[in-house]
Amino acid sequence: MDDVNTVTTDGAAKTEELKKCPIDFERHGPGFREGFVDQTHELHAKCPIAWTGSYEDHWVVSGMDQVFAVARRPEVTNFRDADGSVNGYKGISIPAYDYGPYDTPSFLELDPPEQTDFRKVLNPYMSPAAVARWVPIIDELVNACLDDHIESGSIDFIDDLATVVPAITTMGMLGLPLADWDVHSEAQHALMYTPPGSPDHERVMKIVMASRAALTDAVPEVRANPRPGFVDALLNATIAGRELTDQEITGTLMLLVGGGFDTTTALTGQSLLWLSQHPDERARLAEEIDTLLDPATEEFLRYFTPAVGDARTFSDNVEIDGVEFKEGERVWVSWAMANRSPDVFENPDEVDFDRTGNRHAAFGLGIHRCIGSNVARVVFKRMITAVLDRMPDFVIDPNAVVHYESVGQINGLVNLPATFTAGERRGPGLTTTIERAQKIVVDEQLADRVTARRGR
Amino acid sequence: MKVEVDEHACQGHTLCAMVAPDLFTLRDEDGHSEANNGGEVPRGLEQAANSAISSCPERAIRMIED
């Protein structure tokens, strides 16, 4: 593909033409979810790079090759200039969030070298080797969630399982009390499903503030009582040659809670809903889970793409795929649409457990690859495995499913009530299990970083 | 057949080790990939190597001619 920095007259004409025909891209609007597949087809066929005036003037990149080219360019930045002292760039959200007093950018909205330093500090807590240590605890929590409902024959997979386990696991990795998961839970979900300008905004901001306040208080608390986890890692971090301020640490914790809570919930809910609608594939996955769980997980990630996209800003004039981008222009990179690209994925609108070469972009591309991707995969896999094992005949009433009002940020579900043949408890319920798990986390120092094994 | 992971392009998506666990090892500290045995692909694992190449979201793995 054409991917050069030289400006061509053809490029100028093409760029002008695109800007003259802006597309409708109201991601938070009521029709976006229903129209997603049609619009994806249309954009892929006509303009994998498009221009829109929705929310603010910006580019929309939807084809995998174009997304790949844009997301990995050094002239494309996530940077958010919080106090306006550098370049006015607006970070990864369109429309911009109102951060209020918490507007310190996290490392997702910083460039290298600061971003690189943050990743070096936090990666050893979330690498595959680090996450593997958590599996026994995750299994206990999953089974406790199921135990609390298995005798009744009914469960809401969102409220009673998919919201709970990712949240508690994240709390554990932070080094904060597991039992406090619900201080943040509803805030994180509501923040994602509430469209901009919703009448519900005030209620949501109130609970979000409570969540932020708790993460603010956590910083001095862990400083006074050191224990392993993300908070401790950030307290002891040297980023670009200096220590972090408490506010910077809080901002980072908010990113980690935001990333850790709602995304895996969305993936799990959507996948369970799909499995209930496809009984043959469900039976096959249960039967061949040892070999199919990995490819099925990647396929669900591709197909549902929980975090649908992110904004970026061009930090220089650049030509990509025959389109001229100007310094300062904004772009929305649609991971979800890229994951349906017909030139990369055969039958892109089908879930296919046998798909090979599944190079999906559900965790983003480039240096900002979701830092929690390994956590997400493991937590998701343990939940799916347990449900298929213990509630194999679950039925979901499609009329009782509640989708997020807005899927402009996270492609999630509010409710997913299911019924199944009642079974037997295997252990104590969630409250007791959280207490037990907390003791194991502390005794085994689970939230500590992995240290590289030598001589491999 | 030999494969090579571009360490600057690899972002630790882990898909190569998922589809070809015999050919790639993920670093403990960040999950970034390294090809085993200097990238030498044992006979019979060529298909796994090609799967890994086509599974990498960052397109960071390439075949190098012996």
Side-chain angles (χ1 to χ4, degrees):
Chain A
M1 73 185 253
D2 184 16
D3 186 1
V4 288
N5 264 319
T6 53
V7 173
T8 61
T9 45
D10 284 358
K14 181 174 176 179
T15 308
E16 201 175 330
E17 199 180 318
L18 287 168
K19 286 190 176 179
K20 271 193 215 150
C21 324
I23 60 161
D24 172 20
F25 203 68
E26 296 280 335
R27 295 182 352 262
H28 298 286
F32 189 78
R33 184 170 62 81
E34 290 86 354
F36 172 79
V37 172
D38 287 345
Q39 184 170 36
T40 300
H41 290 176
E42 188 187 2
L43 295 184
H44 285 164
K46 285 188 199 159
C47 46
I49 297 174
W51 179 259
T52 183
S54 303
Y55 309 113
E56 59 181 84
D57 280 348
H58 65 284
W59 295 100
V60 176
V61 185
S62 60
M64 179 63 92
D65 286 344
Q66 293 78 9
V67 161
F68 182 82
V70 168
R72 298 167 78 260
R73 286 296 283 234
E75 305 90 343
V76 174
T77 177
N78 288 35
F79 184 70
R80 181 160 60 85
D81 180 16
D83 63 6
S85 64
V86 184
N87 51 23
Y89 292 174
K90 290 193 286 186
I92 62 155
S93 297
I94 294 176
Y97 277 125
D98 174 14
Y99 288 88
Y102 295 92
D103 68 351
T104 314
S106 72
F107 61 94
L108 184 54
E109 293 185 314
L110 293 175
D111 292 327
E114 289 86 354
Q115 186 263 355
T116 317
D117 286 352
F118 271 104
R119 299 284 295 213
K120 278 189 187 142
V121 167
L122 291 170
N123 271 333
Y125 294 82
M126 286 179 271
S127 67
V131 178
R133 304 170 304 173
W134 287 86
V135 170
I137 290 284
I138 294 166
D139 281 346
E140 294 248 347
L141 294 166
V142 170
N143 277 304
C145 290
L146 300 189
D147 280 334
D148 278 342
H149 299 274
I150 199 151
E151 291 172 324
S152 72
S154 72
I155 187 168
D156 187 313
F157 279 131
I158 299 295
D159 285 346
D160 304 329
L161 174 69
T163 297
V164 185
V165 182
I168 300 176
T169 307
T170 306
M171 294 304 287
M173 291 184 166
L174 285 158
L176 299 180
L178 304 185
D180 289 354
W181 68 275
D182 58 353
V183 174
H184 309 284
S185 183
E186 175 56 19
Q188 290 305 326
H189 292 291
L191 196 60
M192 294 302 163
Y193 66 65
T194 310
S198 157
D200 206 25
H201 187 71
E202 201 174 327
R203 175 192 76 91
V204 173
M205 285 329 283
K206 207 172 273 185
I207 52 177
V208 167
M209 285 299 170
S211 163
R212 289 171 178 178
L215 293 175
T216 305
D217 295 344
V219 181
E221 200 274 317
V222 175
R223 182 183 285 117
N225 306 287
R227 54 187 182 269
F230 302 153
V231 185
D232 187 68
L234 294 163
L235 280 166
N236 293 299
T238 305
I239 304 292
R242 63 173 183 85
E243 289 183 3
L244 295 170
T245 65
D246 283 21
Q247 197 170 341
E248 286 172 319
I249 295 174
T250 301
T252 310
L253 300 180
M254 278 160 42
L255 169 71
L256 295 165
V257 166
F261 275 49
D262 206 48
T263 45
T264 310
T265 306
L267 178 69
T268 308
Q270 295 284 14
S271 302
L272 288 170
L273 176 56
W274 187 91
L275 288 166
S276 78
Q277 297 161 334
H278 299 81
D280 293 352
E281 280 95 339
R282 169 162 71 173
R284 188 180 163 219
L285 179 57
E287 190 67 30
E288 303 170 41
I289 197 150
D290 291 347
T291 52
L292 279 189
L293 186 58
D294 280 355
T297 299
E298 299 313 311
E299 188 61 346
F300 286 136
L301 279 161
R302 182 191 70 83
Y303 187 76
F304 292 116
T305 313
V308 300
D310 287 299
R312 303 276 191 266
T313 309
F314 287 96
S315 60
D316 204 344
N317 297 344
V318 59
E319 183 171 324
I320 296 170
D321 204 27
V323 179
E324 288 175 21
F325 301 96
K326 299 270 183 293
E327 187 275 327
E329 285 182 341
R330 303 272 285 149
V331 55
W332 179 263
V333 179
S334 178
W335 313 122
M337 287 181 170
N339 283 341
R340 301 293 186 96
S341 293
D343 44 3
V344 178
F345 306 105
E346 212 177 314
N347 302 320
D349 299 319
E350 301 291 322
V351 172
D352 177 5
F353 295 161
D354 299 313
R355 186 181 297 282
T356 55
N358 189 355
R359 53 169 53 150
H360 66 79
F363 291 119
L365 294 172
I367 60 169
H368 295 280
R369 184 266 303 165
C370 170
I371 198 169
S373 58
N374 304 300
V375 185
R377 282 189 177 103
V378 168
V379 172
F380 171 81
K381 287 173 185 176
R382 305 319 294 174
M383 288 195 277
I384 294 293
T385 302
V387 169
L388 291 174
D389 176 39
R390 301 187 66 192
M391 300 173 175
D393 63 352
F394 70 89
V395 178
I396 290 164
D397 171 6
N399 298 318
V401 177
V402 182
H403 288 267
Y404 274 17
E405 183 181 349
S406 163
V407 294
Q409 198 61 51
I410 300 285
N411 180 24
L413 301 165
V414 180
N415 288 109
L416 190 63
T419 53
F420 52 90
T421 303
E424 285 183 15
R425 299 183 72 95
R426 291 184 186 173
L430 188 61
T431 311
T432 306
T433 302
I434 287 175
E435 287 167 17
R436 286 205 320 210
Q438 183 70 68
K439 190 172 179 325
I440 295 167
V441 171
V442 173
D443 290 351
E444 296 185 10
Q445 302 279 289
L446 277 190
D448 210 348
R449 65 201 303 257
V450 283
T451 43
R453 287 164 287 179
R454 294 279 164 239
R456 296 176 64 208
Chain B
M1 179 181 181
K2 281 182 87 173
V3 290
E4 185 177 56
V5 181
D6 177 346
E7 62 173 319
H8 299 294
C10 174
Q11 300 294 343
H13 287 264
T14 75
L15 288 153
C16 56
M18 210 181 284
V19 299
D22 298 329
L23 299 180
F24 300 94
T25 300
L26 303 175
R27 286 202 307 232
D28 283 347
E29 61 270 38
D30 59 10
H32 285 217
S33 174
E34 291 164 359
N36 296 340
N37 306 317
E40 208 60 64
V41 178
R43 207 174 289 274
L45 290 180
E46 293 86 354
Q47 201 183 342
N50 282 319
S51 265
I53 290 168
S54 64
S55 295
C56 178
E58 306 288 347
R59 307 178 192 184
I61 309 169
R62 60 188 190 104
M63 202 182 301
I64 39 181
E65 296 305 323
D66 285 309

